[in-house]
Amino acid sequence: MTFSSVVGRFRILALAEAISWAGLLLGMFFKYVVVQNEIGVKIFGPIHGFVFVAFILVTLMTKEPLKWNARTLVLGLLSSIPPFGTVLFERWASKSGRLSEPVAEQL
């Protein structure tokens, strides 16, 4: 997985979005349940916000090179909303061939 390919960027940001969700959920747990301290939310909130926006942009940029239809694009965008949805979408897209880079046509 590298940032140099469309699929690599998508996979990295899908994983990063899920990890940032986990950090934010953990921060909220500590804020509201354990110590009533906002430090976890103050740290992971902006991180998650940045990664969320980056994932949305990368998903939009992935549509054309991978020849996604509108349904796949909408599912990809919606996967960013529930916690860990991006990982589930990435696995589904990978298994269904939607994360396969098209082979360049030979002249």
Side-chain angles (χ1 to χ4, degrees), residues 25-48:
L25 291 172
L26 188 62
M28 290 186 335
F29 176 76
F30 276 92
K31 177 181 177 180
Y32 294 111
V33 177
V34 179
V35 292
Q36 285 72 35
N37 185 330
E38 292 186 12
I39 191 71
V41 174
K42 286 184 178 182
I43 292 171
F44 285 106
I47 292 170
H48 175 67

Side-chain angles (χ1 to χ4, degrees), residues 13-67:
L13 281 167
L15 181 61
E17 207 274 341
I19 291 170
S20 72
W21 246 124
L24 184 57
L25 291 172
L26 188 62
M28 290 186 335
F29 176 76
F30 276 92
K31 177 181 177 180
Y32 294 111
V33 177
V34 179
V35 292
Q36 285 72 35
N37 185 330
E38 292 186 12
I39 191 71
V41 174
K42 286 184 178 182
I43 292 171
F44 285 106
I47 292 170
H48 175 67
F50 175 79
V51 175
F52 173 82
V53 171
F55 177 79
I56 294 295
L57 292 174
V58 165
T59 302
L60 290 170
M61 292 187 298
T62 301
K63 179 190 186 299
E64 194 62 35
L66 297 185
K67 311 262 189 273

